[in-house]
Amino acid sequence: MATYSLEDVRRVCKKRDAWWTMLVVDPLAVRLTRFLANWTSITPNQISLASFAMGLVAAGCFATATPHWLALGALAYHIGFILNCCDGKIARLKGTGTRFGPWLHYIFDRVGMLCCTLTLVGGQYVRTGRAEFFYVGFAVLSLDMFRHLNTLHVAKIRQAMCDSLGTAGLPAEHVGVVSGVEFQMALFIAAPLTGMITPITLVAGGMLVASELVIIYRLWLSTRECAGLIEGFTEGRRFGSDDSEAGSAVTERPLSGAGVR
């Protein structure tokens, strides 16, 4: 069996990620990944399943809506997220990933998010009788859906711009100050621990919306710049400029606003 070091694990970590992941989770996840890689034969999909199971445990705790169970739910959710950050690392480190893995990871994430949201706000409604929690739950699920749709289509447009410019790959990714990770940590860790479900959700949700709007604005700038580059390349060809030089200038010049994720 191969022996992996911490440096081996760090090499397969994402170069850019949510700040919560890099500062709070990865110091633990890297060491856990090393242990799992060296001492077990667990697969990435099995880790995804374990992460999902912890999410369901957290959802069950949230449903009780009592302070002690809410705290246990927050702890279970954080443990599940740590595991959630290990499956991809194991796959890249040991080369044991499958094409089915990313789909499984995504579906487990979305179902876990749904279950935790419904039990958190539902438990609060049963305990207090306040209808505001229905609106909080609707807002959370709507924001989560918007974020994922935005991510999907931003990636498609960025890829289309790269294809049209003839670049080999996507520009470097940039993560917003408040990404989906920080939003979930605020909702499923900070809010249960403090009992401030509605205020924390509103603040975190507002910051997530602002971050997504910045991403959309930068994407808009990128599309304008891309159109200008293509137009300049077309004009250069029309007037007989050297195609290779023009193509090189387009390929080598980065899109200033393209790296929006």
Side-chain angles (χ1 to χ4, degrees), residues 50-127:
S51 172
F52 178 63
M54 291 304 300
L56 295 182
V57 170
C61 294
F62 292 153
T64 65
T66 60
H68 289 92
W69 283 106
L70 287 174
L72 286 175
L75 176 62
Y77 192 87
H78 188 58
I79 292 173
F81 187 74
I82 292 173
L83 291 172
N84 196 35
C85 293
C86 291
D87 53 4
K89 292 179 176 64
I90 286 280
R92 293 187 293 271
L93 182 66
K94 303 181 71 175
T96 54
T98 66
R99 294 186 182 276
F100 183 68
W103 180 89
L104 189 69
H105 181 103
Y106 178 83
I107 293 300
F108 279 165
D109 280 356
R110 304 281 55 77
V111 175
M113 174 79 176
L114 175 64
C115 291
C116 286
T117 300
L118 293 179
T119 56
L120 180 62
V121 299
Q124 292 298 311
Y125 172 75
V126 171
R127 186 177 69 86

Side-chain angles (χ1 to χ4, degrees), residues 239-258:
F239 289 101
S241 63
D242 184 79
D243 287 354
S244 60
E245 291 182 2
S248 175
V250 170
T251 302
E252 293 176 2
R253 181 181 177 186
L255 297 176
S256 61

Side-chain angles (χ1 to χ4, degrees), residues 152-173:
L152 174 65
H153 288 286
V154 164
K156 286 183 177 179
I157 294 173
R158 290 174 61 218
Q159 185 62 62
M161 288 191 293
C162 288
D163 291 343
S164 65
L165 293 174
T167 54
L170 294 173
E173 294 187 351

Side-chain angles (χ1 to χ4, degrees), residues 179-195:
S179 68
V181 170
E182 286 80 27
F183 180 61
Q184 291 178 44
M185 298 306 108
L187 182 62
F188 299 129
I189 295 181
L193 287 176
T194 62

